[in-house]
């Protein structure tokens, strides 16, 4: 049913620093491999740039991401009283691996889409750190592997 997209998602966390990384690697036949790295720091708006050295998903079995990325964060407050907002810069190093465990479970799709969404829990191991204006060691908090196949219902085509 449609071309599947294979995904691996992990949440990496350093509670002491208030740092959270939401990491997703996806492989689709038509689009190739994509990587999304979202960095969250309390009171800051962050962007992450760079290309991974390794970004791979092996169906619902395993996945791996390796790379060093740059991050830039600016204060959410905008600096206040005519001051420029503060900024943080540095690098984010990731070596994250997923290993599927347990059964694959079908879950409902969102927004009325038609297709299949299958999720398998994963053990996530991570060597992840931030250097620069923020120093942090991030630990794997949660993760899963998934397969998504969607089709557009005939009534929605125009």
């Amino acid at each position: 049913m449609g071309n599947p997209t294979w995904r691996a998602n992990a949440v990496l966390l350093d509670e002491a620093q208030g740092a959270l990384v939401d990491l997703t690697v996806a492989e689709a036949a038509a689009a190739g491999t994509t990587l999304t790295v979202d960095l969250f720091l309390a009171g800051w708006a962050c962007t992450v740039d760079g290309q991974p050295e390794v970004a791979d998903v092996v169906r619902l079995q395993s996945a791996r991401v390796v790379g060093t990325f740059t991050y830039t964060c600016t204060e959410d407050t905008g600096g206040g009283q005519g001051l420029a907002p503060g900024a943080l810069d540095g690098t984010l190093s990731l070596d994250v691996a997923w290993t599927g465990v347990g059964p694959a479970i079908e879950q409902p799709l969102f927004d009325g889409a038609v297709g299949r969404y299958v999720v398998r829990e994963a053990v996530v191991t991570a060597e992840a750190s931030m250097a620069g204006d923020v120093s942090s060691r991030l630990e794997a908090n949660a993760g899963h592997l998934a397969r998504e196949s969607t089709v557009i219902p005939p009534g929605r085509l125009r």
Side-chain angles (χ1 to χ4, degrees):
M1 175 180 306
N3 288 327
T5 299
W6 304 93
R7 297 182 198 284
N9 177 262
V11 174
L12 310 174
L13 185 61
D14 179 347
E15 289 185 51
Q17 289 288 347
L20 182 141
V21 172
D22 187 358
L23 174 66
T24 301
V25 60
E27 277 189 18
T33 304
T34 58
L35 180 68
T36 305
V37 182
D38 292 318
L39 171 62
F40 301 95
L41 292 171
W44 299 86
C46 301
T47 59
V48 177
D49 293 310
Q51 295 295 318
E53 298 165 34
V54 176
D56 190 32
V57 181
V58 181
R59 305 205 175 244
L60 292 174
Q61 302 301 314
S62 64
R64 182 135 189 240
V65 170
V66 177
T68 300
F69 308 87
T70 60
Y71 70 83
T72 302
C73 303
T74 55
E75 283 182 297
D76 276 343
T77 62
Q81 298 182 2
L83 301 174
L88 302 172
D89 295 299
T91 58
L92 172 65
S93 298
L94 299 174
D95 186 345
V96 182
W98 291 257
T99 303
V101 294
I105 300 170
E106 189 165 349
Q107 298 197 354
L109 284 168
F110 48 90
D111 295 335
V114 174
R116 295 185 71 195
Y117 186 68
V118 179
V119 176
R120 185 175 186 201
E121 291 301 314
V123 171
V124 180
T125 56
E127 288 189 27
S129 62
M130 294 173 64
D133 291 333
V134 176
S135 294
S136 175
R137 303 252 344 130
L138 299 142
E139 302 290 330
N141 185 301
H144 67 270
L145 299 161
R147 178 186 187 272
E148 179 182 325
S149 297
T150 57
V151 295
I152 299 170
R156 292 191 183 178
L157 292 175
R158 292 182 186 222

